[in-house]
Structure formats: structure tokens, C-alpha cells
Amino acid sequence: MTETKARRRAGRPRVFDTDAALDKAVRLFWQRGYEATSMADLVAETGVAAASLYAAFGNKAGLFAAVIERYAATFSVHLYAPINDPALSTYEAVKGLLERAASSFSEPGTPAGCFMYSAAAAVSPASAAIECLLRDKRIAAEALLIERLQRGAAQGDLAANTDPAVLGKFINTVMEGMSVQARDGATTSELLSVAKMALDRWPAAI
Amino acid sequence: MTETKARRRAGRPRVFDTDAALDKAVRLFWQRGYEATSMADLVAETGVAAASLYAAFGNKAGLFAAVIERYAATFSVHLYAPINDPALSTYEAVKGLLERAASSFSEPGTPAGCFMYSAAAAVSPASAAIECLLRDKRIAAEALLIERLQRGAAQGDLAANTDPAVLGKFINTVMEGMSVQARDGATTSELLSVAKMALDRWPAAI
DNA sequence: CACGATATAGAACGATCGATAAATAATATC
DNA sequence: GATATTATTTATCGATCGTTCTATATCGTG
């Protein structure tokens, strides 16, 4: 997509670091949500003038879309790593996912919970497209989890009488609930105990 | 609190029905969240002039506080009824709670999910007090659930090695996740299957 | 009927919203 | 160095935000 080292574009080069600004923006949107975060907030937090943000991202929605991708690349990738790790059993993969959720959702250095779940939980009709962006991400993530379970089932790594779609939706539901819990102040150990209880429901072979 | 039939207050009587207006306001805040719902929206939806709303509720935050109580009286009471039903076993109570959550969160006539979970999921610092109002409600509801489980444990209605606090937090977490799921379009039957999986391996008394 | 009290409707308040126009600065290319 | 292109700064735009003012309407009470 972007030419890595080849000829730079003409004109005055950008003086601010796009990824650094996005990292700041991620935190703001994460904490306050899409509509409650104003451009003035973003200008104050990133130190980048409004016109420069608009030149780089088009508008607030475009900036948010870039923020989503930045969050996915820096946080979601780490969260879902166990799902994509072929060395793990199906159970270990889900266990790793829930344990990472427990720790990352309550990590001190970042806002509580998951950005994907709370950044646009309830918005005005004017921002329906934004809500949809995140919803699609959530649905896609659940689908990936279910696909992982289906692979496990195909390899005999899951009880035969288990519906991967139901199990995946259950796991995903617990994870979404853990985000709400984290937002309300649940500690890592509390979230871990919740994750453990969810894994206790793991379907045993008959 | 309010004098039921005694001498009415002096002055021009209120022409709009407070509860009817609150019901409309509940739907708006439920769907869009606190900050994304404007006073202009509320005026348009309720048909009550802004000045009248301010006269009745003080300001937007006061109106929202009244909306919370209205929601609690009309929806939460029904949702948590099984918890307060002494005729039900501990398992039946929790089962009833989750099943009511599954159906009410996906009921066609109302916004998806639970008002308490999504109406102020992420807000600006200016509305921190509002966020706290709902958080306190959520924490209190979880405490009531845990107390119910503790009563069950005291009566030998729960496995002796079960920690009611952990089990209650787990059930509450699943319910919160079900709200996110409902917001993303999960059907009643999908939510019921999630609830069913949460209830599997219930730690009943041996 | 007069008077105080409360509610109503409509207009308008200052503040903030997302977004942009105009002028200037810094680069690549010719 | 001339020119085209892009980024930055500063100021500002119209719209909307929550809220309040003003004037009027409708009640209970004396």
C-alpha cells in the first residue's frame, strides 16, 4: 500500500508522528467513547492542530477509523494471539484468550475494558456508521473464535456433542462481560476467577 | 414521598404526564446513551417543552436520574424478580434471572440490551457523576445477586466448595456480556443458549 | 375578583461542537 | 532558483449544545 522507502511525496513533510498521535487518540476514545471525545480534546492530547488532523484523517470519523486499526494492531493482536497459535490445544487457546482478556482489561496503564466493546456502546443516529464499524469488528472477532473452535472440533479436540457456534458465543459473551466488569473496577484476579469459572463449563467428552 | 391525594400544590397544574415523558426518555437514553441524547431530542420525543422539563427535573442530569429510577421500577424489577422469589431454589432463581435477561435484552419493543449497562458505558469527564450513578446501580445489583447466593449456600442449596461471590460475579458478567451481544443483534434463542451454557455444571449441593 | 404560585410556550443566551478558509512554511521536482 | 505540492498556523465558520429569560396561562386561596 504505502511505498516504504521510495520517493517521498512532494510538499512539506508531516511534522507530527501519525502513530504517536493515534496512540494518544486511542486512549481518549477508549476512555470516553466516540461522541464524548471532542476534536478539541484530541488537539489538546495529541498536540496536533485541528487542521493538521483533518488534513491527515479527513474528519473525526476518519480519525476514529484509523484509531480502530491502530488499536487492533497494537492491542487486539496480542489479545487474540492464543487463538492463532497452532501449538496450543483448543482449550489452551481459549484459556489463553480469557486470561489475556483478564489482564489486559484491567491493566493499569490503559483505560479499563476493551476499546472495541465500549468506545461506541451507545451513540446518536448521526454516528450509526461509527457504531457499525465497531460492531463489525466484534462480529468478525467472534467468527474467528468460532472458526478456531470448529477446527478444534474437526481435529477431535472438542467434545463431539459440542456446538462450536454456541461455545464460541458463550466465550465471547463472557469476555464482553469482563470488559464491563473491568470498567466498573474489577481487579485482574477477580476477572481471572470469572474466566476460570467460564472454563469450568468447558464441554467434556461423553 | 409525594402526597397521594391530599391538597394539591398551588399554581398551574402540570399538563404533561411525568411518567409518560420518562418512559419516552428512557427509550432515548437507552438507545443512544446519556451524552448522545440531546435535550432537543428529548423535547421532540416527549413533546414537552424544554422549560417544562427543566422545571420538573432541574437539568439534564436530574432528568437522567429520574429516568434511571423509572427504568428500575419498570424493567429491573421484572428482571430481578426471580432473585427475590422465596419459592425458587437458588438454581431456579439464577436460571430465571438469566432467562429473563435473554428475553428482555432482545425484546423487539425496546432498545436492545440493558439500559444500566450501555446508557453511560463511556462518557466525558464532565459526566463522570452520571457514569457513577449507573455504576453504583450495577454494583448494587451484583451485591444483591451475591447475597441471594450466600443465602442459598447458608441453606445448603449450593455446593459447599462454591464461593458465592465468585459465582455471583460470574453470573453477572455473563449477563453484562449478553447485553453487548443483544446490542449486536443476538436473538433471544442465541442468548438463551448462552445462558444455558453458563448454567451448566451448576455447583449444586451434593 | 384579586393575588400568589406554578407551568407553559417561544425566543434567545453563551459555550462548544465538527469543520474550514486564508496565509504562511517547508519540501520535491524541474 | 522557480514552481508545484503538501503541512502548519491562526482565525473563524454555522450548527448545535445545555440552559435560561420573558411573557402568558392556569391553578388554589383569600
Side-chain angles (χ1 to χ4, degrees), chain B:
Chain B
M1 190 70 72
T2 58
E3 31 191 344
T4 50
K5 203 64 168 184
R7 265 208 317 210
R8 296 178 44 188
R9 311 213 329 270
R12 180 173 175 174
R14 181 166 292 139
V15 70
F16 73 93
D17 182 346
T18 303
D19 280 342
L22 284 178
D23 284 334
K24 299 279 188 70
V26 163
R27 308 302 175 100
L28 268 187
F29 281 124
W30 193 345
Q31 181 67 46
R32 308 181 183 184
Y34 176 69
E35 289 183 311
T37 303
S38 70
M39 290 301 299
D41 293 334
L42 293 160
V43 167
E45 183 73 14
T46 62
V48 179
S52 296
L53 290 177
Y54 278 91
F57 303 104
N59 54 18
K60 188 185 177 185
L63 170 57
F64 189 75
V67 159
I68 293 178
E69 294 311 314
R70 180 69 181 166
Y71 178 87
T74 53
F75 290 96
S76 298
V77 162
H78 177 258
L79 174 64
Y80 286 96
I83 293 299
N84 303 317
D85 187 344
L88 299 180
S89 72
T90 304
Y91 174 80
E92 290 168 339
V94 173
K95 185 172 189 290
L97 173 65
L98 289 182
E99 287 175 350
R100 288 184 182 219
S103 58
S104 70
F105 289 0
S106 58
E107 199 165 271
T110 59
C114 176
F115 170 91
M116 297 286 185
Y117 299 154
S118 50
V123 298
S124 72
S127 302
I130 294 293
E131 189 176 20
C132 222
L133 279 182
L134 285 183
R135 173 176 298 129
D136 289 346
K137 287 279 182 182
R138 291 191 292 267
I139 292 176
E142 182 177 291
L144 283 178
L145 171 59
I146 291 176
E147 284 172 20
R148 173 63 184 86
L149 296 177
Q150 287 170 335
R151 267 182 284 144
Q155 296 168 2
D157 198 18
L158 213 56
N161 59 335
T162 301
D163 183 348
V166 173
L167 180 58
K169 190 170 275 289
F170 168 73
I171 295 295
N172 200 40
T173 301
V174 171
M175 209 161 58
E176 289 166 341
M178 286 168 62
S179 178
V180 179
Q181 286 283 329
R183 289 234 133 207
D184 284 351
T187 65
T188 306
S189 69
E190 285 175 330
L191 295 179
L192 281 175
S193 69
V194 167
K196 184 178 187 309
M197 189 158 281
L199 290 167
D200 276 351
R201 318 272 175 82
W202 181 262
I206 303 175

Side-chain angles (χ1 to χ4, degrees), chain A residues 27-78:
Chain A
R27 308 300 176 101
L28 269 187
F29 281 124
W30 193 346
Q31 181 68 45
R32 309 181 182 184
Y34 176 71
E35 289 183 312
T37 304
S38 70
M39 290 302 299
D41 294 334
L42 293 160
V43 166
E45 182 74 14
T46 62
V48 179
S52 296
L53 290 177
Y54 279 93
F57 303 105
N59 54 20
K60 189 184 176 185
L63 170 57
F64 189 75
V67 160
I68 293 177
E69 295 311 313
R70 180 70 180 166
Y71 178 86
T74 53
F75 289 96
S76 297
V77 162
H78 176 258

Side-chain angles (χ1 to χ4, degrees), chain A residues 116-201:
Chain A
M116 298 286 185
Y117 300 154
S118 50
V123 298
S124 73
S127 302
I130 295 294
E131 188 175 23
C132 222
L133 278 183
L134 284 183
R135 174 176 297 128
D136 289 346
K137 286 279 182 183
R138 290 191 292 268
I139 293 177
E142 181 177 292
L144 283 178
L145 171 59
I146 291 176
E147 284 172 21
R148 173 64 184 86
L149 296 177
Q150 286 170 335
R151 268 182 284 145
Q155 297 169 359
D157 199 18
L158 211 56
N161 58 333
T162 301
D163 183 349
V166 172
L167 178 60
K169 190 172 274 291
F170 168 73
I171 295 294
N172 200 39
T173 300
V174 171
M175 209 160 58
E176 289 165 342
M178 285 168 63
S179 178
V180 179
Q181 285 283 329
R183 288 235 134 207
D184 284 351
T187 65
T188 305
S189 69
E190 286 174 330
L191 295 180
L192 281 174
S193 68
V194 167
K196 183 177 187 312
M197 188 159 283
L199 290 168
D200 283 346
R201 269 68 182 169

